[in-house]
Amino acid sequence: MSSAGGEGPEAGTGRAGGRSEPEAPGSALSVDLPGLLGQLARSFALLLPVYALGYLGLSFSWVLLALGLLAWCRRSRGLKASRLCRALALLEDEEQAVRLGVRACDLPAWVHFPDTERAEWLNKTVKHMWPFICQFIEKLFRETIEPAVRGANTHLSTFSFTKVDVGQQPLRVNGVKVYTENVDKRQIILDLQISFVGNCEIDLEIKRYFCRAGVKSIQIHGTMRVILEPLIGDMPLVGALSIFFLRKPLLEINWTGLTNLLDIPGLNGLSDTIILDIISNYLVLPNRITVPLVSEVQIAQLRFPIPKGVLRIHFIEAQDLQGKDTYLKGLVKGKSDPYGIIRVGNQIFQSKVIKENLSPKWNEVYEALVYEHPGQELEIELFDEDPDKDDFLGSLMIDLIEVEKERLLDEWFTLDEVPKGKLHLKLEWLTLMPDAADLDKVLADIRADKDQANDGLSSALLILYLDSARNLPSGKKINSNPNPLVQMSVGHKAQESKIRYKTSEPVWEENFTFFIHNPKRQDLEVEVKDEQHQCSLGSLRIPLSQLLTSDNMTINQRFQLSNSGPNSTLKMKIALRVLHLEKQERPPDYQHSAQVKRPSVSKEGRKMPVKSQMSASPGTGGTNTAPSTPVMGVDDKPVMEEKPQPPEASPLGQRDLGRSSSSLLASPSHIAAKEPTPSIASDISLPIATQELRQRLRQLENGTTLGQSPLGQIQLTIRHSSQRNKLIVVVHSCRNLIAFSEDGSDPYVRMYLLPDKRRSGRRKTHVSKKTLNPVFDQSFDFSVSLPEVQRRTLDVAVKNSGGFLSKDKGLLGKVLVTLASEELAKGWTQWYDLTEDGTRPQVIT
């Protein structure tokens, strides 16, 4: 047995050895050391987060969250790459791409619109010129943009573009439409459907911080309008060329380097939105690029034209909508939670949500500026609010040219793309009148001649062209140039100019518009500020009644700034236009109907641009910051008596809308009880936090009568220090707050000095955990002079903090404190009642 046991291994070894080839010396010990180290490093990188979570005692759900985020990111990048390949295939061979079944929303414009023509000759010309266009773009990046970025900040002094390659795919014009009707004889209007799908490579570097980033592909799709005006009898026959987008174009960017982080889901939409806002600031209506071709043309009038009119939209009700909600996996049909999205050009509005109702009544009013009605439509889409994805309930497109002809429309419109459903709209086309003859009649029609409110239906439009300033003071530091910006406000509506860096004679050349409720009572307040030191460089107050007696209701001059240097001036052109509804005489049997345009693409194709534009910007309401485009400020202070909501009414759904010019909404809760016509009481519907708080308050009431202060009270000390030139606010405590959960609330206090709602102007207390009677005793200050602070309003909100990723965050109460008091220098300490929106605060001494 022993011999057999010994022979087996030896024989086996011998047979194996007999078949093996001679080996090189030391080959059995060769190891791929770099590969082994790389494998160990990857294993360590994978195991380290798991070990760290266990060591810190954190939940394993964080690992799952990270893995889910990684998978989502990879899926998002894969979808983006597939869209890029599909768009490239479309550009290379349209016919082949169509045969392969391209979606309708990807087809060129001439397929959908018979009056849109192909422009292959233009595409061939651009393709031939593309190498030279690329040379110009590279020179623009290196000789203009790069020095500007370096000079903007000392930390960017080593900024440079290492590579600028726009790619081989030229810009393509998918269709051209020339307007021949309803246009001025001295102008030519063209709409170009443009697409740019470029495998470009733009790399940048900041050597000081060893930072590299870049872009590897860009997609831009949109409608660009080209206006040639005025036509003249001498060469070159055209006085100027104006270029702009009718609405925000669709943009998609693939990032490289450090900016790869911007491709993470959640950040990719935000980054594209920021860039879209920058584009909108220069190229989206009402902004435009104007190139004068002759010296005599009035460039300012062409660059910032007066709007063609104002469209007032009464979004009243709908009937016979589809029931989209289902129960028991579709066995039981339910109703819908409808809301509407209304768009006029680049201005987007959203109505409140009506819960469980197929015949909802909104009774809301919107006002929108119309700059270019040829080619612009009123677009309305209805959706059913759902927790995951909202269902489509129908759409409607109305040609604004028809609305302008009719002046007043009050009709039921049948919804498109759905089997049933009707929408009741009342549309008014308001003409801009340059005289005050009809002002009293307009004020009486909107009932602005009796109330003392500064918000409601608009009677006039204020157009302000901000040109430049001269001899501004140096600010806090002597012999240093400030970074000036201009803040303009009418009532609680505020707007802000761009910042001009390191100059005492800034040039802005910006245009702003304000809707005015009653120009006889309201004032335009202008303040020039130093952004770097947050101090005032001068201010100005202009009563709007002064414009009523001016020639053509226009003032164009240099204004002397008060509380500034002796020769500090601000040049502005201000025009006031009365919003007049021309009621045409019609025979009794006259029937009118606005032309309803049928959608040219599928429902999915049309929904995407609207949603992408709406979900872009930062939130509305109390946290709104100054957007990059000139927009109307937020006013959370309704002044009308509240009207009880109908039983089916419900708070606004949780959606953030991109703010847009003339963003005006009113909900029934703002409408006076005795008014037969809905009136606007603020710039936008109640913020989401306010709506949620009202719903919570109704739940707490539950048939019982709440006390005088159902949301509790806050104690504040407010005074102005003339020595320090600061407003001092001491937040002492709160009492009897509402509970956000079973453990109570985690309250803190947030403050703004309106109309400034920038992040730098926000003040916050610490968070008090699990208490309804928190004590803060914290002092805050705002750098502002006494004359200026008496024109301001202190916005104080008590909020619930909640934990990280917690849903228990929201508003606990709010108060708006008017500072126009002679006692401000002495100061006072008082208790204030908290309300849902800060209106009508009751003072408890």
Side-chain angles (χ1 to χ4, degrees):
M1 293 292 291
S2 61
S3 63
E7 286 177 0
E10 290 174 3
T13 304
R15 287 192 295 269
R19 288 196 302 267
S20 62
E21 297 292 332
E23 295 182 357
S27 62
L29 298 177
S30 62
V31 177
D32 184 9
L33 187 59
L36 180 61
L37 292 177
Q39 184 66 28
L40 288 175
R42 285 192 294 270
S43 302
F44 180 76
L46 289 174
L47 294 176
L48 179 62
V50 180
Y51 173 77
L53 288 175
Y55 181 79
L56 297 175
L58 300 178
S59 172
F60 186 73
S61 59
W62 287 100
V63 178
L64 299 179
L65 181 63
L67 291 176
L69 184 62
L70 180 62
W72 190 13
C73 183
R74 288 184 175 179
R75 179 176 178 272
S76 176
R77 292 177 66 86
L79 292 175
K80 185 177 291 187
S82 66
R83 288 195 297 269
L84 176 64
C85 294
R86 188 169 61 247
L88 284 171
L90 178 66
L91 289 180
E92 290 175 0
D93 191 345
E94 287 183 357
E95 183 177 357
Q96 181 66 19
V98 171
R99 288 178 178 177
L100 292 176
V102 180
R103 295 181 308 170
C105 59
D106 291 331
L107 293 176
W110 55 267
V111 176
H112 303 301
F113 307 105
D115 53 354
T116 300
E117 303 173 4
R118 300 188 67 177
E120 288 305 311
W121 65 270
L122 182 57
N123 290 321
K124 293 176 181 178
T125 304
V126 172
K127 184 176 181 179
H128 189 72
M129 296 174 57
W130 189 248
F132 303 96
I133 295 175
C134 293
Q135 292 179 16
F136 168 74
I137 293 176
E138 182 175 1
K139 185 182 294 185
L140 176 68
F141 271 78
R142 296 191 184 279
E143 298 181 4
T144 304
I145 299 178
E146 186 175 304
V149 174
R150 286 183 174 182
N153 195 298
T154 56
H155 297 287
L156 301 176
S157 58
T158 58
F159 173 90
S160 65
F161 288 102
T162 57
K163 185 176 182 179
V164 178
D165 182 7
V166 186
Q168 302 300 318
Q169 290 290 342
L171 178 75
R172 182 172 178 81
V173 180
N174 294 326
V176 178
K177 180 177 180 179
V178 181
Y179 289 90
T180 57
E181 299 179 356
N182 301 304
V183 296
D184 193 340
K185 293 182 179 180
R186 297 191 62 193
Q187 67 176 190
I188 298 175
I189 300 178
L190 303 92
D191 281 351
L192 308 180
Q193 306 288 337
I194 66 168
S195 293
F196 176 64
V197 183
N199 287 321
C200 59
E201 292 186 35
I202 303 175
D203 298 330
L204 58 90
E205 181 183 17
I206 305 177
K207 295 181 180 179
R208 181 175 180 180
Y209 299 104
F210 305 100
C211 175
R212 293 184 179 181
V215 173
K216 63 181 179 181
S217 68
I218 297 177
Q219 288 193 60
I220 300 178
H221 307 275
T223 302
M224 176 174 285
R225 172 156 293 185
V226 179
I227 300 180
L228 307 175
E229 68 172 340
L231 301 180
I232 56 180
D234 299 321
M235 294 301 292
L237 301 180
V238 178
L241 174 71
S242 298
I243 302 173
F244 55 89
F245 284 100
L246 287 174
R247 66 185 61 163
K248 285 184 180 180
L250 300 181
L251 176 69
E252 191 167 288
I253 299 176
N254 282 343
W255 303 93
T256 61
L258 185 62
T259 48
N260 244 335
L261 295 174
L262 298 179
D263 269 335
I264 296 176
L267 289 181
N268 55 356
L270 180 61
S271 61
D272 291 354
T273 296
I274 293 173
I275 297 174
L276 271 178
D277 286 339
I278 296 173
I279 295 175
S280 301
N281 210 18
Y282 294 94
L283 266 178
V284 177
L285 195 70
N287 305 297
R288 62 187 69 198
I289 293 179
T290 302
V291 181
L293 303 180
V294 294
S295 57
E296 295 82 8
V297 69
Q298 295 182 357
I299 186 68
Q301 183 177 354
L302 293 175
R303 187 179 297 172
F304 305 109
I306 292 179
K308 298 290 192 299
V310 171
L311 181 65
R312 181 176 292 159
I313 308 161
H314 296 262
F315 192 63
I316 303 175
E317 59 181 327
Q319 283 186 1
D320 199 23
L321 298 180
Q322 285 184 292
K324 291 289 187 177
D325 295 337
T326 58
Y327 305 96
L328 298 178
K329 295 185 177 182
L331 296 177
V332 180
K333 289 286 185 180
K335 296 184 178 181
S336 293
D337 306 324
Y339 69 93
I341 294 175
I342 300 98
R343 183 171 67 185
V344 179
N346 198 38
Q347 303 164 78
I348 303 176
F349 316 97
Q350 177 177 328
S351 73
K352 67 177 181 291
V353 179
I354 305 297
K355 293 289 186 180
E356 295 290 329
N357 200 320
L358 299 181
S359 298
K361 295 183 179 181
W362 291 284
N363 290 324
E364 297 184 349
V365 184
Y366 310 79
E367 291 177 342
L369 297 174
V370 180
Y371 285 89
E372 297 288 334
H373 51 68
Q376 273 195 313
E377 297 89 21
L378 168 63
E379 304 178 37
I380 300 177
E381 290 180 317
L382 300 184
F383 293 92
D384 167 38
E385 185 193 40
D386 285 324
D388 47 0
K389 183 181 179 180
D390 295 349
D391 297 317
F392 183 73
L393 294 177
S395 65
L396 186 67
M397 294 181 66
I398 300 176
D399 195 338
L400 293 185
I401 294 179
E402 300 300 320
V403 180
E404 182 186 14
K405 290 179 181 178
E406 298 292 342
R407 301 296 178 179
L408 176 62
L409 286 173
D410 190 352
E411 292 188 16
W412 284 91
F413 296 90
T414 302
L415 296 173
D416 292 321
E417 302 183 80
V418 288
K420 63 177 183 177
K422 296 188 299 181
L423 182 63
H424 185 194
L425 298 175
K426 180 181 177 183
L427 307 176
E428 299 175 351
W429 181 271
L430 305 178
T431 307
L432 305 183
M433 306 296 294
D435 60 78
D438 297 320
L439 179 60
D440 291 336
K441 182 178 182 302
V442 172
L443 292 175
D445 290 341
I446 66 172
R447 296 170 177 81
D449 55 341
K450 297 180 180 180
D451 61 19
Q452 298 297 316
N454 289 327
D455 299 291
L457 291 175
S458 303
S459 65
L461 181 71
L462 180 67
I463 306 164
L464 188 151
Y465 175 66
L466 177 64
D467 187 273
S468 59
R470 287 183 182 175
N471 304 318
L472 294 179
S474 58
K476 288 188 176 182
K477 292 186 178 180
I478 302 176
N479 299 326
S480 66
N481 288 326
N483 297 339
L485 61 90
V486 180
Q487 291 180 345
M488 295 143 287
S489 63
V490 178
H492 291 285
K493 305 171 186 176
Q495 299 187 50
E496 192 173 277
S497 73
K498 300 186 185 74
I499 302 171
R500 295 292 180 256
Y501 293 95
K502 304 297 181 182
T503 177
S504 59
E505 298 196 354
V507 177
W508 288 282
E509 294 183 341
E510 295 182 56
N511 196 49
F512 304 89
T513 55
F514 290 89
F515 281 100
I516 306 300
H517 181 59
N518 190 341
K520 294 184 177 181
R521 287 198 306 265
Q522 295 180 271
D523 299 333
L524 170 65
E525 298 181 6
V526 182
E527 182 182 13
V528 184
K529 301 187 71 172
D530 182 4
E531 188 272 339
Q532 183 177 5
H533 300 104
Q534 293 295 312
C535 62
S536 177
L537 301 176
S539 59
L540 176 67
R541 179 191 286 262
I542 302 174
L544 298 184
S545 57
Q546 182 179 342
L547 287 164
L548 298 176
T549 57
S550 302
D551 184 26
N552 201 31
M553 297 175 67
T554 304
I555 299 177
N556 186 8
Q557 68 180 56
R558 285 197 171 273
F559 296 90
Q560 178 68 40
L561 294 173
S562 58
N563 302 318
S564 185
N567 299 317
S568 299
T569 58
L570 185 67
K571 185 178 181 181
M572 296 186 298
K573 182 178 180 180
I574 310 171
L576 189 68
R577 294 294 182 264
V578 177
L579 302 181
H580 177 58
L581 176 61
E582 299 179 5
K583 297 181 180 179
Q584 300 182 2
E585 296 295 332
R586 303 288 191 188
D589 57 346
Y590 177 79
Q591 294 183 355
H592 60 263
S593 178
Q595 180 180 354
V596 179
K597 292 193 172 183
R598 299 298 171 186
S600 57
V601 295
S602 65
K603 172 179 65 179
E604 290 78 8
R606 291 183 64 245
K607 253 171 66 176
M608 192 175 300
V610 178
K611 287 295 185 181
S612 63
Q613 290 186 22
M614 289 187 56
S615 60
S617 299
T620 62
T623 60
N624 180 51
T625 57
S628 57
T629 55
V631 302
M632 305 306 297
V634 178
D635 177 17
D636 296 333
K637 187 176 180 180
V639 292
M640 300 288 190
E641 295 181 7
E642 292 188 0
K643 175 181 177 180
Q645 294 185 343
E648 68 273 13
S650 168
L652 180 65
Q654 298 189 16
R655 285 171 184 79
D656 288 337
L657 281 180
R659 297 305 308 276
S660 60
S661 165
S662 72
S663 183
L664 293 164
L665 254 68
S667 62
S669 59
H670 284 142
I671 300 169
K674 297 181 180 180
E675 296 290 334
T677 303
S679 63
I680 299 173
S682 63
D683 293 327
I684 195 165
S685 289
L686 282 177
I688 296 169
T690 305
Q691 292 278 12
E692 291 178 345
L693 183 58
R694 286 197 169 180
Q695 185 182 24
R696 186 178 296 273
L697 194 59
R698 286 195 295 269
Q699 292 173 354
L700 290 175
E701 186 174 4
N702 196 20
T704 62
T705 303
L706 297 177
Q708 184 179 5
S709 306
L711 297 179
Q713 298 169 343
I714 184 172
Q715 187 183 34
L716 302 173
T717 294
I718 304 174
R719 68 181 181 89
H720 186 273
S721 173
S722 58
Q723 296 179 347
R724 300 170 58 189
N725 203 30
K726 290 184 177 182
L727 175 70
I728 300 173
V729 181
V730 181
V731 181
H732 294 289
S733 60
C734 300
R735 63 188 181 190
N736 302 325
L737 300 178
I738 63 174
F740 231 85
S741 64
E742 295 179 357
D743 297 329
S745 298
D746 299 333
Y748 69 94
V749 180
R750 183 273 299 151
M751 291 183 292
Y752 286 110
L753 190 59
L754 299 180
D756 183 10
K757 285 195 172 183
R758 293 176 298 172
R759 190 177 185 87
S760 59
R762 184 174 63 185
R763 306 290 187 269
K764 290 172 59 177
T765 66
H766 65 264
V767 178
S768 293
K769 295 290 186 178
K770 299 179 181 179
T771 178
L772 302 182
N773 299 284
V775 177
F776 300 103
D777 287 330
Q778 286 184 254
S779 179
F780 304 92
D781 57 70
F782 298 86
S783 296
V784 60
S785 63
L786 182 59
E788 178 189 353
V789 77
Q790 291 181 336
R791 303 193 300 267
R792 302 288 197 92
T793 300
L794 184 65
D795 180 352
V796 182
V798 182
K799 295 189 172 184
N800 187 64
S801 174
F804 182 62
L805 298 178
S806 172
K807 295 182 179 180
D808 292 334
K809 294 183 179 180
L811 184 67
L812 294 173
K814 189 175 181 181
V815 61
L816 295 174
V817 183
T818 303
L819 302 177
S821 172
E822 298 179 356
E823 303 293 327
L824 189 59
K826 298 179 181 178
W828 62 80
T829 301
Q830 293 178 347
W831 285 95
Y832 293 90
D833 281 350
L834 296 172
T835 61
E836 304 97 325
D837 48 22
T839 57
R840 298 186 301 276
Q842 299 177 3
V843 179
I844 310 298
T845 56

